[in-house]
Amino acid sequence: MDYTGFKLIFSTPVHFGNGSLENSDKKLYADTIFSALCHEAVKSECIEELVSYVENEKIKISDAFPFIGDSYYIPKPMITIESEKNIDDKKKAKKLEFINVNLLDEYLDGSMNIKRESEIVSNLGKSDIITRASIQTNEDTKPYSVGTYLFSEGAGLYLIVGYSDEEALNIVTKLLHSLSYVGIGGKVSSGLGKFNSEKVKLPTSLTDKIERARESSSVMSLSIGMCDDMELENVCENANYILSKRSGFINSSTYADTSVKKQDYYLFRAGSVFSRPFKGVIKDVSIKGTHPVYRYANPIFMEVSDGK
């Protein structure tokens, strides 16, 4: 499998759900991205082709992580790092959510300049709150607040795409281009989440570690994901992970006459560390609707040291 990157360069603020309408995250989960791609695939009449590629592991996608200029960031590995640094540095390291992929080895051996990297990441963008109005027939207008995030100039998110052949890559490229006009995340009908997509070459410090994951005894997930139920006990052995509850409503005019929730599903968060890579799943989370609703949960992995 080959790997390439797509920069998502946002032209508007974004609202990425994190459980609160008044706040916005600054990253996108792979299942959110896949769901948005599915909506565009339905419009383009290629949904069966997209799902087939993903189910047969001819396409894999990561969560979307920050980039700043030519620097690409990955989740902080869920590994305990032994370091002689002072208490302030340890506190800053605990708050760090992302690490420059070129500095991963320095982070793992405890030599990374935590203060400097914290200052750089703080320039990624800024949070804000905007007010919108809910207008319903024969009722008073009701204002509500929406949390947004505005990326700084030269910063945004990037997506890693694994692909088996050029046809698989082309379908992702086409759907991302179509999605860029619609927007991604929440409140896109209000103009949020618009972006330009730009295909980019990923750093070899990242792609080399992705390639080595197959033979490694310590790997980190770059996507939200989950294994088959029968594999769960073995996958969790000697692993460090956080589970995220994924839910939400089904956004489809042909699925049901009323708004319907997806099945709740718990997934390993990106940054979770395992003793070996595992095959993820594509879960149908529909509930008595007219068509399947897929939850993406097949991670891309990269090699990480345990810092020892």
Side-chain angles (χ1 to χ4, degrees):
M1 179 168 274
D2 294 316
Y3 297 90
T4 192
F6 287 89
K7 281 184 174 181
L8 310 183
I9 304 167
F10 291 92
S11 55
T12 68
V14 302
H15 174 75
F16 299 150
N18 63 359
S20 170
L21 184 61
E22 290 77 22
N23 295 290
S24 176
D25 212 334
K26 50 182 176 288
K27 64 179 181 297
L28 269 171
Y29 292 116
D31 59 344
T32 299
I33 298 167
F34 181 66
S35 178
L37 293 176
C38 283
H39 284 298
E40 295 308 303
V42 170
K43 297 177 189 176
S44 301
E45 299 183 343
C46 62
I47 183 63
E48 292 182 1
E49 183 180 7
L50 174 64
V51 171
S52 176
Y53 272 129
V54 172
E55 288 183 327
N56 291 295
E57 295 195 301
K58 294 184 176 181
I59 292 174
K60 297 180 77 172
I61 61 175
S62 72
D63 288 3
F65 306 120
F67 73 85
I68 302 175
D70 293 327
S71 297
Y72 294 84
Y73 289 78
I74 57 174
K76 180 177 69 176
M78 295 179 194
I79 293 176
T80 300
I81 305 300
E82 297 297 332
S83 172
E84 297 180 357
K85 293 183 181 297
N86 59 43
I87 296 299
D88 286 342
D89 278 345
K90 288 183 178 180
K91 288 181 178 178
K92 288 185 173 67
K94 189 174 182 179
K95 291 180 180 179
L96 268 182
E97 189 175 359
F98 304 104
I99 294 172
N100 186 326
V101 67
N102 290 327
L103 301 178
L104 176 61
D105 292 336
E106 291 182 25
Y107 172 77
L108 293 172
D109 67 22
S111 64
M112 190 180 83
N113 188 323
I114 300 292
K115 181 179 179 181
R116 181 184 63 195
E117 286 306 304
S118 297
E119 291 172 350
I120 292 173
V121 174
S122 69
N123 294 321
L124 176 64
K126 61 181 181 180
S127 300
D128 197 3
I129 295 179
I130 60 175
T131 301
R132 290 287 185 263
S134 176
I135 302 174
Q136 299 181 5
T137 306
N138 299 324
E139 292 187 16
D140 293 336
T141 299
K142 296 179 180 179
Y144 62 94
S145 298
V146 178
T148 63
Y149 193 85
L150 178 64
F151 289 96
S152 301
E153 185 175 355
L157 300 179
Y158 76 99
L159 172 69
I160 304 166
V161 176
Y163 60 98
S164 61
D165 53 53
E166 288 300 319
E167 288 185 5
L169 179 60
N170 287 340
I171 192 171
V172 176
T173 304
K174 179 181 71 173
L175 293 174
L176 275 175
H177 180 72
S178 176
L179 181 62
S180 68
Y181 294 100
V182 178
I184 192 167
K187 301 301 177 183
V188 294
S189 61
S190 299
L192 300 181
K194 302 293 190 298
F195 64 91
N196 294 316
S197 62
E198 176 186 335
K199 185 181 173 184
V200 294
K201 180 178 175 61
L202 295 168
T204 55
S205 56
L206 176 57
T207 53
D208 286 352
K209 287 180 170 63
I210 292 174
E211 290 291 344
R212 291 201 297 268
R214 288 172 293 183
E215 308 299 329
S216 177
S217 60
S218 182
V219 298
M220 179 178 75
S221 62
L222 293 170
S223 327
I224 200 163
M226 181 48 66
C227 59
D228 183 84
D229 290 346
M230 298 293 291
E231 290 288 316
L232 188 57
E233 184 176 351
N234 290 333
V235 166
C236 290
E237 186 176 2
N238 299 320
N240 295 312
Y241 59 86
I242 293 176
L243 290 173
S244 287
K245 180 181 177 181
R246 305 296 289 158
S247 54
F249 287 87
I250 297 169
N251 182 20
S252 170
S253 59
T254 62
Y255 181 81
D257 295 333
T258 59
S259 183
V260 179
K261 284 195 69 174
K262 302 174 185 178
Q263 292 181 39
D264 292 340
Y265 197 40
Y266 286 87
L267 303 179
F268 297 118
R269 192 180 298 179
S272 297
V273 175
F274 304 91
S275 58
R276 60 177 176 83
F278 59 81
K279 182 178 180 180
V281 298
I282 307 300
K283 178 76 170 179
D284 182 2
V285 292
S286 60
I287 304 175
K288 297 180 180 180
T290 59
H291 59 73
V293 177
Y294 296 104
R295 175 79 71 189
Y296 183 90
N298 192 11
I300 293 174
F301 292 97
M302 66 179 290
E303 177 190 59
V304 290
S305 162
D306 61 5
K308 297 179 182 179

